[in-house]
Amino acid sequence: MNILVTGGAGYIGSHTCVELLNAGEQVIVLDNFSNAKPEALNRVINITGQQMITIEGDIRDAALLETIFSQHNIDAVLHFAGLKAVGESTMDPLNYYDNNVNGSLCLLRAMQKHGVKTLIFSSSATVYGDPDSVPIFESSPLRATNPYGQTKLVIELMCQHWVESNSEVSVTLLRYFNPVGAHDSGTLGEDPQGVPSNLMPFIAQVAVGKRKSLSIFGDDYDTPDGTGVRDYIHVVDLAQGHVAALKQRNEQAGCHVFNLGTGQGVSVLEMVTEFSKVTGQDIPYQIAARRPGDIAQCYASSQRARLELDWSSKRELQQMIADTWHWQRLNPDGYV
Ligand code: NAD
Ligand code: WQD
């Protein structure tokens, strides 16, 4: 199949390109490189030994989409392109609505015009906001608490309405929990710009000596050790979840929703302790105030994906850490 991968140079998109190429698919990446480097795509080609088509451009560029859909016989779209920083979204919400919502609208319009019926969309556990209970099921209440999360909810709704209006369309909404880790070659990984806001890349930068110590945001949550609990999932498992979704849901009309997580909660302190154990590195930390907007705990029920996609995560926490560390040591400054 010819697969258009928007945001394919990014962290999750690039790992998914590897899995798609390994599965024998033809890949066409569309990325504006606003949060990625072309080098990531060279690494994908090196890992797989396969070629793919790269197009530099924006999903909001309707003329460009027209050219892409006219020139390539696209069978399905995997839509990763978007902005993802929660804090930034509260400071510049209009940019988030423009990039994420307007961008997705442009994409769906082009798909509709060209009769492309299969879409897999990168949604997020952030659509559940502060959950009433854990594990979180796909049927749990949806209530995003920041502009970024709200853009994901609006896009989900737009997809739902699109499906209702067209009985041939197949949309799969994948709600990712906390993606971490890197490709086991050590050549592909997460390359945050500036100070990482997520836990795993921050710890990795402390371990490699780029930052002095980790601030643990709160130790008074209602969790076993007082620190926040999350469902960390290896990015390669996540990438393989997309291939499974494509296989199971391609051209199966309807709107399909899946959590992609491990179903296991891990606290910040557990992560720090395990990171030290796996890597042999000391991770200095201090307890700091809670981060505004953070929740106590969040982890998935991964049952639906297991039953309906025949997919479940395979890589344990130790592997997530070992692969993060391998990538961080080999690429201390990312894709320079
Ligand atoms: P990323 O920033 O590494 O990748 C996104 C890619 O999209 C980048 O390569 C960027 O250059 C590109 N892009 C952004 N806006 C674009 C536009 N208008 N046109 C073309 N390209 C554009 O992020 P990621 O971590 O790989 O996340 C991928 C998707 O998964 C995003 O939609 C994100 O919201 C979602 N998601 C991420 C996480 C996470 O923690 N990483 C969790 C849940 C959901
Ligand atoms: C994990 C835990 C922090 C950094 C965010 C987005 C979410 C999704 C994934 C896209 C929490 C603690 C963190 C640090 C810390 N993205 N922490 N010190 O907050 O679950 O989710 O990224 O959809 O939308 O909100 O992930 O990695 O930032 O935090 O103590 O320096 O680590 O308080 O308990 P989070 P995270």
Side-chain angles (χ1 to χ4, degrees):
M1 286 195 289
N2 291 329
I3 317 289
L4 176 65
V5 182
T6 74
Y11 173 46
I12 305 168
S14 58
H15 286 82
T16 305
C17 286
V18 169
E19 300 305 319
L20 289 169
L21 291 167
N22 284 343
E25 309 293 2
Q26 305 298 315
V27 173
I28 298 138
V29 167
L30 171 62
D31 200 301
N32 66 1
F33 299 111
S34 58
N35 195 39
K37 303 215 173 66
E39 174 60 16
L41 297 172
N42 295 334
R43 308 269 179 108
V44 171
I45 291 166
N46 284 340
I47 289 169
T48 60
Q50 313 274 334
Q51 287 304 319
M52 58 185 174
I53 297 171
T54 301
I55 299 162
E56 179 170 359
D58 200 295
I59 51 168
R60 291 164 294 183
D61 184 341
L64 177 63
L65 290 182
E66 179 60 30
T67 307
I68 294 171
F69 281 93
S70 303
Q71 286 182 352
H72 304 278
N73 194 12
I74 307 287
D75 296 297
V77 177
L78 266 61
H79 178 30
F80 296 93
L83 302 176
K84 62 166 182 176
V86 172
E88 188 184 63
S89 80
T90 61
M91 291 181 303
D92 196 358
L94 300 187
N95 196 32
Y96 270 67
Y97 279 93
D98 183 29
N99 200 84
N100 293 3
V101 176
N102 183 27
S104 299
L105 175 60
C106 292
L107 187 65
L108 264 52
R109 278 214 170 106
M111 288 179 68
Q112 172 155 284
K113 180 167 178 211
H114 290 270
V116 179
K117 300 191 186 82
T118 301
L119 173 72
I120 296 181
F121 171 62
S122 303
S123 190
S124 166
T126 196
V127 298
Y128 298 114
D130 193 353
D132 297 332
S133 58
V134 283
I136 301 172
F137 295 90
E138 287 83 351
S139 55
S140 297
L142 302 179
R143 51 163 94 95
T145 53
N146 55 66
Y148 163 69
Q150 204 66 48
T151 66
K152 291 292 180 193
L153 270 182
V154 173
I155 299 164
E156 284 203 1
L157 204 58
M158 183 163 66
C159 289
Q160 178 78 47
H161 289 156
W162 185 39
V163 164
E164 285 167 12
S165 74
N166 185 332
S167 60
E168 294 187 333
V169 166
S170 165
V171 175
T172 304
L173 307 173
L174 299 180
R175 295 179 181 152
Y176 314 154
F177 280 66
N178 289 56
V180 296
H183 191 264
D184 64 6
S185 63
T187 62
L188 208 58
E190 190 171 9
D191 181 16
Q193 310 299 304
V195 183
S197 55
N198 293 120
L199 180 65
M200 188 67 127
F202 200 103
I203 293 179
Q205 291 196 4
V206 172
V208 85
K210 284 186 82 173
R211 309 205 177 266
K212 279 214 172 80
S213 75
L214 169 75
S215 291
I216 294 184
F217 300 141
D219 67 348
D220 57 352
Y221 284 106
D222 186 13
T223 59
D225 64 20
T227 65
V229 168
R230 297 291 183 274
D231 184 339
Y232 298 95
I233 174 167
H234 197 294
V235 66
V236 174
D237 279 327
L238 195 61
Q240 290 172 351
H242 291 73
V243 178
L246 195 59
K247 190 169 151 208
Q248 302 286 341
R249 287 292 174 268
N250 185 34
E251 293 193 352
Q252 254 195 43
C255 189
H256 318 281
V257 186
F258 295 98
N259 287 339
L260 293 187
T262 64
Q264 302 289 321
V266 173
S267 77
V268 179
L269 272 175
E270 283 171 331
M271 181 63 98
V272 170
T273 306
E274 205 54 37
F275 200 102
S276 290
K277 212 186 279 176
V278 171
T279 65
Q281 302 296 306
D282 189 31
I283 308 295
Y285 68 84
Q286 68 281 339
I287 304 299
R290 289 183 178 193
R291 184 171 62 178
D294 266 0
I295 57 177
Q297 50 181 345
C298 169
Y299 55 90
S301 161
S302 48
Q303 207 178 350
R304 186 186 284 181
R306 193 165 52 247
L307 292 176
E308 295 185 27
L309 297 182
D310 193 22
W311 169 91
S312 58
S313 62
K314 302 275 182 295
R315 293 160 181 82
E316 305 284 344
L317 185 61
Q318 290 71 18
Q319 181 84 50
M320 302 180 206
I321 293 169
D323 289 338
T324 300
W325 183 228
H326 188 202
W327 154 256
Q328 183 70 58
R329 265 184 316 142
L330 291 181
N331 307 268
D333 298 312
Y335 296 111
V336 283

